[in-house]
Every structure is written in structure tokens, then in C-alpha cells.
Amino acid sequence: MSAHIVELEKLLTSIIAEHRVLSDAIQAHQDAMRTFKVDALAVAQQAIESSRTRLLSFEARRRVTVQQIARVHRLPADPSLMQIADVAPPVSRKNLMKLRDDLRAITEQVARKTTVSAKVAGSLLGHLNTVVRVVAGAVQQAAVYTKQGMPTVSARIGVMEAVA
């Protein structure tokens, strides 16, 4: 059995495990957004970033290993996992196909979770943008002063002003 293929199996296993860590961190981030816990948001964001950094290093190592396998087995420059599995021994072929399916499943799960986070963050930013526009509009208008020299403040912002 090729040492490079064994290394690729180990790397794919590590990538899958790291994607699970990333998925858990994304879930923690979503939970923190739901409950508006700023400290939990910061911790989850830090976990997400460190997980992404580890994934980038695993991916770089995987690319080098795949290039080595391609060179040794005379495969195309950027072979697919299926092409690598075709030149691998039967046991490794089975393991590689299982790892491919597991990786595909976990990356789809991470993609779904990040889509939800992006939508929640986008709607939150939209609400904050509206608040800033309303406050800026209220501050921008000239104030009317009383006889004592104090500016008068509107009792409330009307519904039409809030959505404008």
C-alpha cells in the first residue's frame, strides 16, 4: 500500500473531524446570536476562525499529498478522489469512498448552517441600519428651544418616520 494514500486517508479523516468542530462552533455562534450573548459570540467566532485556519493547513497538506500520488501513479495533474481510489488497493479504495461520502455530508451540513447564520446576520444588520438612519434623521433636524434654553425633544418618532 502506498504511504501517500495512507497519508491522504489520515488527512481526510482529520479534515472531516475539523469540519465537525467547525459545525459545532457555527451552531454555538447561532445560539449566541439567538440569545444576544456578546461574550459567547466572541468565543464562537474565535473558535470558527481557528477551525478555518486548521482546515486551510490540512487542505494545503492534502493538495501536496494528492500531487505526490498523481506523480507516482501517473495520474492527471489534479486527480479526483475517484481517480486516486482507482489506483489504490481495494481496502484503501473502500476507505477513500467512505471518507469522500462523509466529507461531502459534513460540508453540506456546514454550508446549510452558514447560510442560516448569514441570513440572520443580514437581517440584524438591516435592522441596525434602520435604527441608525432614524437616529441620524432625528439628530440632523434643527431643534426648537424653550424659554429656558433647553431643546425640545419629540415625544416619539412617528410610524411613517421610522420606516422612511
Side-chain angles (χ1 to χ4, degrees):
M1 187 179 321
S2 172
H4 296 301
I5 293 178
V6 172
E7 177 67 18
L8 180 61
E9 288 178 15
K10 289 179 184 176
L11 282 171
L12 289 174
T13 302
S14 297
I15 289 171
I16 291 168
E18 195 59 43
H19 270 88
R20 288 193 177 108
V21 170
L22 178 62
S23 178
D24 293 342
I26 291 170
Q27 185 63 47
H29 190 262
Q30 286 178 348
D31 294 342
M33 282 193 308
R34 245 183 244 116
T35 57
F36 296 110
K37 293 184 178 176
V38 178
D39 55 339
L41 265 174
V43 169
Q45 184 63 35
Q46 185 178 13
I48 288 171
E49 287 305 315
S50 64
S51 184
R52 285 182 181 164
T53 303
R54 285 190 298 274
L55 279 171
L56 286 173
S57 75
F58 285 139
E59 180 62 19
R61 288 175 43 202
R62 184 201 63 81
R63 285 183 183 180
V64 169
T65 303
V66 166
Q67 288 173 353
Q68 292 170 345
I69 292 170
R71 202 173 312 124
V72 168
H73 294 284
R74 295 190 175 105
L75 295 173
D78 192 19
S80 68
L81 197 53
M82 188 65 152
Q83 290 171 324
I84 293 171
D86 287 340
V87 298
V91 172
S92 290
R93 176 182 168 78
K94 184 178 178 182
N95 287 342
L96 287 172
M97 292 297 98
K98 182 183 179 314
L99 290 170
R100 179 192 67 174
D101 294 339
D102 291 348
L103 184 59
R104 186 174 288 152
I106 192 70
T107 54
E108 287 173 0
Q109 180 183 6
V110 167
R112 276 194 310 271
K113 285 183 179 183
T114 55
T115 300
V116 170
S117 288
K119 287 182 181 179
V120 169
S123 66
L124 180 63
L125 284 175
H127 290 299
L128 289 175
N129 185 30
T130 303
V131 168
V132 169
R133 282 188 11 230
V134 168
V135 169
V139 171
Q140 186 178 358
Q141 296 173 358
V144 177
Y145 290 89
T146 62
K147 288 182 181 179
Q148 290 80 22
M150 299 295 297
T152 59
V153 179
S154 174
R156 67 188 263 291
I157 296 174
V159 174
M160 294 307 289
E161 293 171 349
V163 294

